Amino acid sequence: MKELTKFQKRLKFENKVASGLITLGGYGVIVSVLLIFFFLVLETLPLFWKTSLEKDFEISGKTPISIGMDDYKELVYQVYENGIISYYNIKQKKNIKYDTLSLSAGEKIISSSSTLERDEIAFCTDSGRIINASILFTQEYRGNSRTIGSKLEKYGDFSGNESGKSLENLSFDKNENGNKFWVWTNDKKNVFIKIFDLEEDSNYTHNLTELTGGTKITASAINAETEVLFLSDENGEIFYFDISDYESPELKSHWKVSNNEITAISFLIGGNAMVLGSKKGEVEVWFQIRNENDDLVFTKTHVFENHNSEITKIVPSQRNRTFITIDKLGELHLNYSTTSATNVKFDNEKKGIKLVEFSPTADVIIVADDNSKIGFFNLQNEHPEVTVNSLFGKIWYEGYSKPEFVWQSTGGSDAFEPKMSLIPLIFGTIKGTFYAMIFSIPIAILGAIYVSQFAPKNLAAIIKPVIEIMAALPSVVIGFLAGLFFSPLFEKNLLLILLLSTAAPILFVVIISLWGLIPEDKRRKFSNTWELIFVFIAMVLVFIIFWGISEPLGTYFFDGNIKNWLYTNFNIGYDQRNSLVVGIALGFAVIPIIFTITEDALSNVPKSLTSASLALGASKWQTVQRVVLPAASGGIFAAIILGLGRAIGETMIVLMATGNTPILDLSLFNGFRAMSATIAVEIPEAPVGGSLYRVLFLTALLLLIFTFIVNSLATYIGDKLRKKYARY
Amino acid sequence: MKINVNVQNSLSASYTTDLSKEKTILETKNVDLCYVPQVKTLKNVTIQIPEKKVTAFIGPSGCGKSTLLRCFNRMNDLIPGISMKGLISIDGIDIYSPEIKLEELRKKVGMVFQKSNPFPMGIWENVAFGPKVNGIKEKAELDEIVESALIQADLWNEVKDRLNNSALDLSGGQQQRLCIARALANKPEIILMDEPASALDPISTSKIEETIDELRENYTIIIVTHNMQQAARVSDYTAFMMTGEMVEFNATSKLFTNPEKKLTEDYITGRFG
Ligand SMILES: Nc1ncnc2c1ncn2[C@@H]1O[C@H](COP(=O)(O)OP(=O)(O)OP(=O)(O)O)[C@@H](O)[C@H]1O
Ligand SMILES: [Mg+2]
C-alpha cells in the first residue's frame, strides 16, 4: 500500500512536470512568434514618425549674410555684411576667432551664393565686386581630444558691373574639375556669365542679354556638373541655357511656367530637379523630361503647400531632396521633393526668418532672424523619402517620364535617390507564386490521386519516399540548378519546352486514351506493370515526337528563332532567368508539400465510402471524382495553401533563378524580384537604422502577415470543408 | 440451450419453403477462393439462391460468409493476390466472364454494409448517387427514384422535409435505412446485406427487419447475420457455413427445427461458435 502511494506520488509529480513543460513549450512558441512580430514592427515604425523641429539653443548676433557649420556641429561661422567672419564655438559658447574678407572702406556684401556642398562661396558687394572664398573646417587630434579649426581661403575677385549699375541675382557653382561659373545681372536686365576653365586656365565672360531679350530677371541658378543655367523672369518664364560650350553659351529653350513672377529658383541635389518659388507663394518642383520626340520638356512634377507670401529663398539640403523655402513674412517650410510633402511649417514665433542653413548632416537647421538671434534647431527627419504613398503608390522620380512604382534602393552616386516602392516586390512574389502554383498544383494533385487511388501498392511505395526526398532537397540546390543549368537549357530549347508544357500533355492524353480502346476483358489481362510500361512508352514517344518536330517547326513558323519572333511580333522580351524557369523550380519545392498532404488526405478517406460507391456501380474514376475528392477537399485545400505559403516565403530559389528585376510585367519570359529575395540580397548592404534597412523590415513584416493570413485561411477553410465532408 | 424459433411466423408461413420448387436466380458451383495462395477461404461452395426470397447466411466468425457475399458483386476483385475458381452465375450468366461489365453487375446486385456508410452529402444526393453514376441525369426522374427508394426503405416520412440536409445528421438506424434506400435506387435484382443491423439498437434493428420484410416481394435478398433469431425471423432460407464450406442449406423452418447435419444442430443450439 505504501509503495503504491509512493508510485502514485511519482506519477503525479511526473504528470505535473510534463504538463508544465508542454504548456511552457506551447506558450513559448506563441510568445516567440509575437516577439518576432513586435520586433519587426519596432524596427519599422520609425519610418512613419513625423518630422519634428526642436530648438536646441540660440546665440545673439546681427543677421549674417552667410552662415555655416562643421560636420561635428562644434563650430559655426557667420559672414557679416562688412566682410568680418566670426567663428562661434558651440562647446565653449563663445566666439573664438575672427577673419575678414578685407573689403574696401564702406563696401558692403549684399548677397552670397555657394556650391551645394558649401565648399566655396561667392559674395557680391554693393560696389559691384564679386569675391570668391572658401571657409573650410579642419580637424586636429591631440591624444583623445579633437579640435575643430577653420581656414579662410580667398580666391580673388573681379568686377561684375559696368559703370556703377547695381548687381543682383548672383549664382555661383563649381564642378569636380574645378571649373567655376558665375552668373549675375546688372539692373536686373543685363545678364552676364563668367566661366573659369581650370585646365586651360582661361576665363570667358559673356553677355546673355540678347538671348533673354532684356526681360527683367528675377532669379538664377547654375549647375556646374550638368553645365546648365536657369534664369527666371518677372513674367513667369524660365530660360534654359546650355553652357557646356564655354565660348558660346546657348539658349536651349524657354518655357512659361507661371502667370506669377518667379522669385526664387534652385537646383536640388543631383541637378535634375528645379524648385521654383513665386511671388504668390507657390512652391513647385519641375523636371526636365524627354518626350517622345526626344525633346526636353520642362514639366511640373511636385507641388507643395503655398506660402501665401512671396518666396524669397530656397535652400536645398546637401544630403537628400529636402529643401527649405522662406517667404517674405519670415516663415519657413521644410519640404521633401519626391513625396511632394511639406513636412514642417515654422515661423520661429513670428520673428521673421531671414536666413536658413542646414548642418552638413542635415540634422540641425540654423535659423537667423530679424531680432539678431541665431537659433539652432534639431531636425528629426530620418526617413523623408518613405511614406505610405511612396511604399504603395506611384511616385514621380527624377529621370522618369511619369509617376511609377519603382524599386531601386541603391545607386552609384551621393545624389542617387533610393526608390522603394513595395509594389514591384509584392507583384514579384505574387507572380512567382502564381507560376509556381499553376505548375505544381496539377502535377502534385494528379500525382497524389494516382498514388493513393490507382497505383499498385509497390509502385506507391517507391513514389512516396522519392517525393519526400524531393522535399528534403535544399532550395539552394534547386535554385542553383535552375539558375545555372535549366535557364540556359530552356533558352536554347524554348520552343520544345513550350510545346512540352502545352501540346505534349494533350497528345499524351490522346495516346493514353488509346489504351481504353482495348476491350476491357483483354485489358484486364495486362498487369499494372504493363500499363505502366505503356504509359512510359507513351511519354517517351511524345517527347521524341516533339523533340523531332520542334526544330523544323521553329524554322518554318518562327524563322528559326522563337525568341526573336516573339519580340518582333509581340514585343515580348526574353530574359534567360525568367518566370518560366522559376515557376518550375519553385514548383519543385512546392510539389512535395502539396503531394504529401493531398495524398494523406485522399488515403484517409474511409474505405467504406469508396466501397459504397463502387458497390453502387460507380467506376473507379467516378468514385474518385464524386466521393474521394469531395471528402478530401479540406485536406487538399490545406495542401494547396501550405504550398502557397512555401512559395511566398521561398527565398533561395527565386533569388538564384530570377534576374531579380523589379519590374511590373506579367510575362512568363521576364524575371521578377520577390520580397524574400530582396530582403536576402539587400539587408547586408543596408546601413543599420537607415531607410532601406527599415523598409526591408517592413517587407519582412508584410511577408509574415501574408503567410499568417494564408495559413489562417488554410486552417479556417480547411476546417469548414472537413466539417462538411469528413464526419464519418 | 435450444433456441426457441417461431417458424410459423405469420409473415413467412404462407411462402413455399421447398427449395426444389424455387426458381434459382444466383448459383455458385464449386467455388474455391484463396486470399493467400494455397489457403482456401472458401472450399467448394455450391449453392442455389432462390429468386425473390430472403436467404440468410449464418456461421461462426471467420467462416467466409462475407467473402462469399462479396463474390456475388465482385467486390473481392480489387484485393491483391486473390484467386477464385469455380462458377458463379446470375440468371444463368457467368458473372466472372469477360463480357460482364462490372458496373452493370453491381447495379444489378446491390450491397448494404455492416457499418452504415452514407456519403458525406445530402440525403437526396446519397440516394441519387447510384442512378447518377449509372447515367440518369434528369432531375424529375431522379426525384421520383429517390422518393420511391426512400419509401421502400421506410425512411421517406422521416426525411422528406430535409432531403438536402447532410446524411451524417441522421441516426444510426436511419443511416442504415438510407444505405438500403441508396441500394434500392439502382433498382437491383439482388440485395446483399452483410450484418446490416449488427451495429444497431434493438428498435432500429426491428425497423430494418420490417423493411427487409417489405422488400422480400420484389427483391432477392441475401443477408449475413450472427443473430440466429434474426435469421429465423426474416429469412425464408438459411445457409449454414463453416470453415469455408457450405454445410447445410435449407428452408429456414427446417434448418432451425430439424437440421439435417449434426454440425448445424450443434451450431444452432449454441454448442459452439
Ligand atoms: N481481404 C482479406 N485478405 C486476406 N484475408 C481475408 C480478407 N478478408 C477476409 N479474410 C480472411 O478470410 C476468412 C473469412 O473471412 P470473412 O470476412 O469472409 O468471414 P465472415 O464469415 O464474414 O466472418 P464474420 O462473421 O466475423 O464477419 C477469415 O479468416 C479472414 O481472416
Ligand atoms: Mg463478415
Side-chain angles (χ1 to χ4, degrees):
Chain A
M1 198 61 204
K2 210 181 166 194
E3 252 190 22
L4 201 70
T5 47
K6 213 173 161 189
F7 173 71
Q8 276 173 336
K9 262 187 194 160
R10 215 184 74 202
L11 210 64
K12 214 170 163 186
F13 174 73
E14 276 174 4
N15 269 343
K16 257 192 186 153
V17 170
S19 68
L21 279 177
I22 290 165
T23 316
L24 194 73
Y27 282 115
V29 170
I30 295 173
V31 166
S32 55
V33 168
L34 282 180
L35 276 181
I36 290 174
F37 186 81
F38 283 124
F39 174 67
L40 292 178
V41 169
L42 221 62
E43 287 293 332
T44 310
L45 269 185
L47 284 176
F48 304 105
W49 282 346
K50 272 222 154 77
T51 310
S52 74
L53 201 56
E54 248 170 58
K55 190 172 205 167
D56 190 2
F57 63 97
E58 109 188 326
I59 59 178
S60 306
K62 264 174 55 191
T63 311
I65 295 286
S66 168
I67 209 162
M69 193 186 222
D70 76 300
D71 283 354
Y72 297 97
K73 290 174 273 190
E74 277 188 42
L75 201 58
V76 181
Y77 72 75
Q78 300 147 67
V79 184
Y80 294 103
E81 61 177 19
N82 58 6
I84 302 292
I85 305 169
S86 78
Y87 299 90
Y88 180 84
N89 187 301
I90 294 171
K91 276 191 192 156
Q92 301 170 14
K93 297 194 176 158
K94 62 176 189 195
N95 285 330
I96 53 163
K97 197 169 99 177
Y98 295 92
D99 266 327
T100 176
L101 288 171
S102 316
L103 304 185
S104 352
E107 198 180 10
K108 277 201 289 189
I109 299 175
I110 50 175
S111 76
S112 74
S113 170
S114 65
T115 61
L116 188 76
E117 294 78 24
R118 276 65 161 181
D119 58 348
E120 191 165 337
I121 316 173
F123 298 95
C124 76
T125 69
D126 58 354
S127 61
R129 261 209 305 162
I130 294 173
I131 305 166
N132 258 52
S134 67
I135 305 166
L136 298 175
F137 295 100
T138 57
Q139 296 144 30
E140 244 177 80
Y141 291 92
R142 203 169 290 134
N144 273 340
S145 74
R146 176 188 61 215
T147 333
I148 303 294
S150 65
K151 202 167 131 222
L152 171 70
E153 199 93 48
K154 289 181 252 181
Y155 300 113
D157 64 327
F158 57 89
S159 172
N161 71 343
E162 5 151 346
S163 53
K165 287 174 178 165
S166 69
L167 195 156
E168 57 285 295
N169 293 324
L170 173 68
S171 275
F172 164 74
D173 201 8
K174 189 175 97 175
N175 70 13
E176 57 185 9
N177 301 330
N179 298 347
K180 303 182 188 184
F181 303 81
W182 299 261
V183 69
W184 68 93
T185 60
N186 282 171
D187 276 352
K188 305 208 165 162
K189 278 201 206 75
N190 303 317
V191 188
F192 298 92
I193 182 164
K194 181 180 163 87
I195 302 169
F196 168 66
D197 186 335
L198 181 72
E199 226 170 295
E200 310 264 308
D201 194 19
S202 48
N203 282 295
Y204 308 84
T205 309
H206 304 283
N207 185 335
L208 305 176
T209 319
E210 242 171 65
L211 297 173
T212 59
T215 177
K216 190 179 152 201
I217 301 299
T218 53
S220 67
I222 270 186
N223 188 298
E225 286 322 324
T226 51
E227 300 186 324
V228 295
L229 159 66
F230 276 72
L231 298 171
S232 66
D233 80 354
E234 58 177 346
N235 306 318
E237 279 204 46
I238 292 286
F239 295 87
Y240 158 49
F241 290 87
D242 180 347
I243 51 176
S244 56
D245 183 352
Y246 297 168
E247 302 205 330
S248 66
E250 191 187 348
L251 176 62
K252 277 283 192 186
S253 259
H254 62 102
W255 305 285
K256 174 105 177 149
V257 297
S258 172
N259 289 324
N260 303 317
E261 182 181 325
I262 302 296
T263 48
I265 63 179
S266 170
F267 286 103
L268 291 181
I269 184 172
N272 286 313
M274 158 106 347
V275 190
L276 308 179
S278 81
K279 193 153 194 154
K280 287 265 168 75
E282 298 147 298
V283 179
E284 298 163 356
V285 163
W286 291 61
F287 294 166
Q288 287 193 73
I289 290 163
R290 274 192 199 284
N291 67 6
E292 309 87 66
N293 306 330
D294 221 25
D295 299 326
L296 275 179
V297 185
F298 203 51
T299 312
K300 178 158 63 177
T301 54
H302 301 283
V303 177
F304 302 84
E305 229 169 280
N306 197 306
H307 271 266
N308 297 316
S309 162
E310 181 181 329
I311 307 296
T312 53
K313 238 187 171 66
I314 299 167
V315 184
S317 150
Q318 49 181 307
R319 301 270 296 184
N320 55 30
R321 265 80 182 160
T322 302
F323 63 93
I324 291 174
T325 45
I326 311 177
D327 64 27
K328 214 171 183 174
L329 299 178
E331 182 174 298
L332 76 74
H333 286 188
L334 184 92
N335 306 294
Y336 192 78
S337 162
T338 315
T339 55
S340 309
T342 301
N343 290 320
V344 173
K345 289 195 286 183
F346 178 65
D347 63 3
N348 200 15
E349 293 155 0
K350 299 242 185 303
K351 282 180 194 147
I353 297 167
K354 280 281 145 186
L355 181 70
V356 173
E357 183 57 290
F358 289 98
S359 72
T361 42
D363 52 355
V364 170
I365 294 179
I366 310 162
V367 177
D369 60 38
D370 272 348
N371 294 0
S372 305
K373 287 266 190 280
I374 299 171
F376 292 80
F377 294 83
N378 288 327
L379 174 66
Q380 276 289 359
N381 192 26
E382 310 270 326
H383 312 290
E385 71 273 46
V386 181
T387 62
V388 172
N389 192 44
S390 82
L391 291 170
F392 300 103
K394 286 188 175 178
I395 291 285
W396 201 330
Y397 288 107
E398 290 169 21
Y400 286 75
S401 58
K402 57 180 191 304
E404 273 176 60
F405 302 111
V406 190
W407 175 275
Q408 194 188 357
S409 57
T410 41
S413 68
D414 284 346
F416 172 81
E417 179 180 23
K419 303 168 186 71
M420 296 185 283
S421 168
L422 294 181
I423 298 296
L425 309 185
I426 295 172
F427 177 88
T429 291
I430 293 174
K431 182 181 175 185
T433 307
F434 172 76
Y435 282 119
M437 294 316 273
I438 57 171
F439 172 71
S440 57
I441 288 177
I443 293 183
I445 291 187
L446 289 176
I449 292 175
Y450 175 70
V451 167
S452 71
Q453 306 294 318
F454 295 97
K457 283 252 148 42
N458 46 7
L459 185 66
I462 298 172
I463 295 178
K464 282 207 280 185
V466 166
I467 289 182
E468 268 146 32
I469 289 174
M470 215 169 119
L473 216 62
S475 49
V476 114
V477 175
I478 301 178
F480 176 78
L481 279 176
L484 293 160
F485 180 69
F486 286 107
S487 303
L489 197 74
F490 276 29
E491 188 176 25
K492 239 169 95 190
N493 305 300
L494 180 60
L495 184 59
L496 177 62
I497 299 293
L498 289 179
L499 286 173
L500 284 180
S501 54
T502 51
I506 298 171
L507 182 68
F508 179 68
V509 168
V510 169
I511 294 178
I512 289 295
S513 53
L514 290 180
W515 182 260
L517 291 183
I518 306 171
E520 204 180 327
D521 52 302
K522 293 232 178 61
R523 224 188 313 159
R524 203 170 293 136
K525 283 198 198 106
F526 294 108
S527 64
N528 273 317
T529 325
W530 279 106
E531 217 169 270
L532 277 179
I533 289 171
F534 178 76
V535 167
F536 185 74
I537 291 172
M539 250 156 74
V540 172
L541 194 71
V542 167
F543 181 80
I544 289 173
I545 290 173
F546 281 102
W547 192 49
I549 63 166
S550 80
E551 184 131 2
L553 219 60
T555 323
Y556 189 77
F557 286 107
F558 308 113
D559 312 322
N561 188 335
I562 185 166
K563 276 192 299 176
N564 288 346
W565 185 83
L566 278 171
Y567 190 73
T568 46
N569 287 287
F570 298 101
N571 202 20
I572 297 174
Y574 186 92
D575 295 340
Q576 195 191 53
R577 295 185 184 182
N578 54 45
S579 308
L580 180 71
V581 180
V582 185
I584 291 175
L586 203 50
F588 265 96
V590 172
I591 283 173
I593 294 175
I594 303 186
F595 173 88
T596 315
I597 301 172
T598 302
E599 206 273 336
D600 267 2
L602 292 172
S603 302
N604 284 338
V605 172
K607 230 177 131 352
S608 64
L609 289 186
T610 42
S611 302
S613 168
L614 291 173
L616 286 167
S619 67
K620 190 83 221 241
W621 176 236
Q622 280 176 320
T623 303
V624 169
Q625 231 183 330
R626 290 165 191 237
V627 176
V628 178
L629 286 178
S633 57
I636 298 174
F637 185 81
I640 291 175
I641 298 287
L642 285 176
L644 197 76
R646 167 81 200 262
I648 289 174
E650 177 53 52
T651 308
M652 275 333 274
I653 295 175
V654 286
L655 183 70
M656 299 178 82
T658 65
N660 287 314
T661 38
I663 45 170
L664 287 167
D665 187 339
L666 269 176
S667 166
L668 187 58
F669 304 121
N670 276 335
F672 55 83
R673 188 186 190 94
M675 298 162 83
S676 54
T678 307
I679 298 173
V681 175
E682 303 201 5
I683 205 84
E685 302 169 10
V688 175
S691 296
L692 175 60
Y693 177 84
R694 298 205 188 284
V695 168
L696 291 175
F697 271 89
L698 177 66
T699 312
L701 184 65
L702 284 181
L703 263 182
L704 184 72
I705 294 173
F706 266 24
T707 37
F708 179 76
I709 290 176
V710 159
N711 284 338
S712 310
L713 211 72
T715 320
Y716 176 73
I717 298 183
D719 264 8
K720 279 216 130 172
L721 286 173
R722 228 165 289 146
K723 279 220 180 81
K724 186 162 173 223
Y725 284 116
R727 295 180 298 157
Y728 314 112
Chain B
M1 186 194 83
K2 181 104 178 165
I3 287 179
N4 179 19
V5 178
N6 177 12
V7 284
Q8 293 309 317
N9 168 328
S10 62
L11 294 163
S12 46
S14 55
Y15 294 94
T16 39
T17 47
D18 187 354
L19 251 182
S20 55
K21 290 193 183 134
E22 298 286 2
K23 181 169 177 265
T24 299
I25 181 164
L26 192 155
E27 181 173 15
T28 74
K29 269 190 193 139
N30 312 101
V31 170
D32 285 353
L33 186 140
C34 305
Y35 284 116
V36 190
Q38 318 300 330
V39 183
K40 282 189 183 170
T41 301
L42 294 180
K43 295 172 200 150
N44 202 23
V45 173
T46 299
I47 188 172
Q48 284 150 2
I49 308 283
E51 193 179 17
K52 300 212 168 135
K53 293 284 170 232
V54 178
T55 302
F57 285 1
I58 60 169
S61 185
C63 69
K65 306 178 295 291
S66 300
T67 303
L68 181 60
L69 204 66
R70 284 200 301 265
C71 287
F72 299 158
N73 66 348
R74 293 181 51 180
M75 286 298 277
N76 284 333
D77 276 22
L78 281 174
I79 296 169
I82 198 166
S83 68
M84 201 197 93
K85 272 200 300 224
L87 186 86
I88 301 177
S89 60
I90 292 177
D91 294 327
I93 298 164
D94 176 8
I95 61 166
Y96 280 81
S97 90
E99 284 87 45
I100 290 292
K101 278 225 156 67
L102 212 54
E103 288 81 29
E104 308 245 303
L105 171 74
R106 288 176 181 162
K107 185 171 174 288
K108 204 176 333 181
V109 185
M111 189 166 206
V112 176
F113 296 81
Q114 176 175 5
K115 205 169 156 256
S116 65
N117 52 1
F119 298 124
M121 317 168 183
I123 292 166
W124 189 93
E125 281 293 336
N126 261 280
V127 183
F129 187 92
K132 269 186 168 174
V133 297
N134 288 303
I136 296 173
K137 289 197 179 80
E138 240 174 278
K139 176 89 166 64
E141 194 180 352
L142 288 169
D143 277 339
E144 210 173 291
I145 293 171
V146 169
E147 180 172 350
S148 96
L150 284 170
I151 289 172
Q152 290 182 72
D154 277 338
L155 195 61
W156 176 248
N157 287 328
E158 288 156 72
V159 301
K160 64 178 177 219
D161 300 324
R162 44 171 177 154
L163 288 175
N164 288 323
N165 286 15
S166 172
L168 301 175
D169 293 339
L170 298 173
S171 75
Q174 287 173 325
Q175 286 191 10
Q176 192 60 301
R177 274 179 285 143
L178 180 70
C179 292
I180 294 174
R182 188 171 66 183
L184 291 173
N186 263 345
K187 302 193 171 123
E189 291 176 20
I190 302 171
I191 303 172
L192 312 173
M193 299 187 179
D194 194 349
E195 301 183 45
S198 68
L200 301 178
D201 60 285
I203 295 177
S204 301
T205 303
S206 69
K207 274 228 134 204
I208 299 273
E209 287 175 14
E210 272 169 42
T211 306
I212 294 170
D213 198 52
E214 281 158 28
L215 294 174
R216 70 187 339 133
E217 231 171 288
N218 300 313
Y219 301 92
T220 305
I221 295 173
I222 306 173
I223 177 169
V224 172
T225 177
H226 269 278
N227 181 335
M228 269 170 284
Q229 293 176 347
Q230 184 174 59
R233 277 198 300 271
V234 301
S235 70
D236 304 304
Y237 296 95
T238 300
F240 169 60
M241 288 179 75
M242 228 181 102
T243 55
E245 278 173 284
M246 190 56 71
V247 178
E248 182 171 349
F249 181 42
N250 229 323
T252 303
S253 50
K254 175 135 180 25
L255 190 125
F256 278 105
T257 51
N258 185 17
E260 281 168 10
K261 301 262 169 64
K262 171 86 172 61
L263 218 49
T264 314
E265 181 170 354
D266 287 351
Y267 181 69
I268 61 175
T269 53
R271 246 162 251 159
F272 66 91

